[in-house]
Amino acid sequence: MKLEGLDLIKEVRANRERYLPMIDHTEEVPRRNEYGDVNIGWNAGLLEPNRPYFVECWAADGITMLTIFVSKKGIEQKTPDELTRWFLDIGYFSFTDGGYQTAEIGTFTNPAGEEFFSINIAVGVEDGPAMIHGAPIYSWKILNEYNRTDSHAE
């Protein structure tokens, strides 16, 4: 069975010692953030048996984006192209029409001092065709409801 989505979040929260750090939004995620961006959805998966990733899908100014957070621990030197290809290789998404774009990469440090790559991929612009296939996304409602009852949420 492939661990992903809420099942993966439950597993990582219950067994943190088995996994590298993961951003998984234990706080309530609103439909719109303070900047007016629309929070569309999320997902979570594994790049390696102990390396979870967390995906946010959001839109602002007519552009829909995926932002994927993954721990930098042990992969600090990976290039934007290597990180993009890693997600293509595991089959999380593919580019439409054989296209390819290297993701824009940022870094993020959480309050615990853990460092993450922030991998940003444009998935759509205005009313144009989708730029990727795949990349399943779940409603924030699912995670928000779970967080209200989860004793492992921090």
Side-chain angles (χ1 to χ4, degrees), residues 82-135:
E82 288 171 326
L83 289 166
T84 303
R85 291 195 180 279
W86 202 357
F87 281 91
L88 293 170
D89 290 346
I90 66 164
Y92 182 63
F93 72 90
S94 61
F95 291 104
T96 57
D97 300 328
Y100 180 82
Q101 61 170 303
T102 298
E104 290 186 23
I105 306 296
T107 58
F108 171 78
T109 303
N110 70 9
E114 299 161 331
E115 293 186 313
F116 296 85
F117 283 115
S118 170
I119 303 162
N120 298 288
I121 300 164
V123 300
V125 178
E126 297 291 338
D127 294 329
M131 299 164 73
I132 67 168
H133 294 292

Side-chain angles (χ1 to χ4, degrees), residues 16-47:
R16 292 186 192 277
E17 71 283 356
R18 294 184 193 164
Y19 298 94
L20 292 168
M22 177 176 157
I23 291 173
D24 70 2
H25 287 289
T26 56
E27 77 284 354
E28 182 89 8
V29 176
R31 175 80 177 126
R32 288 188 180 270
N33 68 16
E34 66 271 21
Y35 308 108
D37 301 341
V38 177
N39 293 312
I40 297 169
W42 66 278
N43 200 346
L46 291 169
L47 275 172

